[in-house]
Amino acid sequence: MKTNLAISLLNRQHGGDEEEALSLLREVLKKDPENLRAKYCSALLLLHRGQLEDALDAFLTVIKKVPANPEALYFTGKTLMQLSRYEEALQYFSDTNYINQILFSCN
């Protein structure tokens, strides 16, 4: 429930919403460190805030549990690009493209 509230706050984008959303996500992860939805959402927030290494760690945690998550793969690549780790980023973008082709062919 708190993860949904955090997402709602992010979508609303009023002053202080980002910090409140991150605080809620941290509460969720403190109680349930394996909550991948909260981990992914906090990674997005960390990326947006420029906390690139923390964002990368969170995205990689999600990918370890769900290797075929195209969103996590894409944002991992994006984070790596911002860290000037271009070769690694390219692999994640390539993986994203491959997964998306598989998903598209299933529709």
Side-chain angles (χ1 to χ4, degrees):
M1 195 69 159
K2 285 186 180 184
T3 303
N4 289 338
L5 177 57
I7 293 168
S8 296
L9 289 168
L10 288 173
N11 288 330
R12 185 174 72 171
Q13 296 186 355
H14 287 171
D17 283 351
E18 188 176 294
E19 190 59 43
E20 187 176 350
L22 191 53
S23 177
L24 286 168
L25 293 167
R26 286 180 176 148
E27 285 180 37
V28 170
L29 290 167
K30 187 174 183 179
K31 290 181 183 177
D32 180 10
E34 300 296 314
N35 186 316
L36 296 181
R37 192 164 182 231
K39 182 68 79 174
Y40 174 76
C41 290
S42 56
L44 288 173
L45 264 171
L46 293 166
L47 173 60
H48 180 17
R49 294 165 64 111
Q51 295 173 259
L52 302 177
E53 292 292 344
D54 292 334
L56 181 60
D57 288 343
F59 286 129
L60 290 173
T61 298
V62 173
I63 291 169
K64 283 180 188 170
K65 298 287 185 179
V66 186
N69 182 317
E71 292 84 5
L73 290 166
Y74 170 79
F75 282 107
T76 298
K78 187 172 179 175
T79 304
L80 288 164
M81 287 286 292
Q82 290 186 25
L83 289 167
S84 300
R85 293 166 57 181
Y86 304 115
E87 292 296 320
E88 291 172 85
L90 185 59
Q91 184 58 54
Y92 283 94
F93 290 137
S94 177
D95 291 348
T96 302
N97 189 41
Y98 177 74
I99 298 295
N100 280 334
Q101 287 176 3
I102 292 171
L103 294 175
F104 182 74
S105 69
C106 292
N107 289 326

